[in-house]
Amino acid sequence: MRIIKAELSDLPAVLTLQRLAYQSEAQLVDDFSIPPLTQTLEELTADFGAGIILIAVEQSRPTEIAGSVRGRFSGNTLHIGRLIVNPSRQNRGIGTALLRGIEALYPRMRYELFTSDRSVKNLSLYIKNGYREFKREPLNKRVNLVFLEKHGS
């Protein structure tokens, strides 16, 4: 598995994978209008210019993106978002590799991310990788967002 910086030419594939990966999250929160499913290529291109996007590619399939993660900076904090893995490749360490990959690029930062309280697998992944909850905010009447943080070394 290689974790590398995405190039502009990778963005259409990242967006396609994002829409596939976020179907399960939309089912959990019963909302198929969540931003990851409605994001346009133009919006993703703006994200690309405003932060960093990493992709995971396997040695045996170097032209196929197995996962992605992005980050944007705010002061001393790297906001990590849209950690996605192709559903057919989940539970193989790709999410952990992406998370560790983005952290390794910025080792002395504070990392922050969020997920829904219904995303048990996501919460487990983040906690396993050293993240700790620091607040919750309601997303709607049924779902809360859980914010987690970690401090780099």
Side-chain angles (χ1 to χ4, degrees):
M1 179 67 50
R2 293 185 314 133
I3 307 299
I4 58 175
K5 288 184 181 180
E7 297 180 10
L8 202 55
S9 60
D10 295 319
L11 298 186
V14 169
L15 187 60
T16 297
L17 180 58
Q18 175 178 300
R19 290 179 179 151
L20 176 65
Y22 269 92
Q23 292 294 316
S24 60
E25 186 72 15
Q27 287 175 339
L28 284 174
V29 299
D30 193 27
D31 183 355
F32 286 85
S33 66
I34 58 176
L37 294 181
T38 61
Q39 185 173 37
T40 66
L41 184 57
E42 292 76 23
E43 291 168 336
L44 178 55
T45 302
D47 285 352
F48 179 80
I52 183 166
I53 300 176
L54 300 181
I55 57 173
V57 292
E58 296 183 61
Q59 306 292 12
S60 61
R61 299 178 180 174
T63 60
E64 189 176 321
I65 297 172
S68 179
V69 66
R70 46 190 102 151
R72 65 175 175 75
F73 304 95
S74 176
N76 189 31
T77 298
L78 177 65
H79 293 270
I80 298 172
R82 309 265 165 98
L83 176 61
I84 56 173
V85 175
N86 187 315
S88 69
R89 297 217 176 100
Q90 290 180 354
N91 302 310
R92 296 182 188 178
I94 297 169
T96 295
L98 284 162
L99 200 54
R100 290 181 181 167
I102 201 164
E103 291 172 357
L105 290 175
Y106 309 99
R108 290 183 168 62
M109 306 265 324
R110 173 183 173 268
Y111 314 113
E112 181 178 321
L113 47 79
F114 68 88
T115 191
S116 84
D117 60 354
R118 294 184 178 198
S119 300
V120 176
K121 285 177 65 175
N122 292 350
L123 287 166
S124 176
L125 171 70
Y126 300 144
I127 291 167
K128 179 179 82 173
N129 281 282
Y131 286 79
R132 299 291 172 245
E133 180 180 338
F134 71 93
K135 76 175 176 179
R136 288 183 182 229
E137 290 182 359
L139 177 63
N140 56 41
K141 292 179 181 180
R142 299 178 317 272
V143 179
N144 291 304
L145 294 179
V146 180
F147 290 80
L148 301 105
E149 68 181 347
K150 176 179 175 180
H151 295 274
S153 51

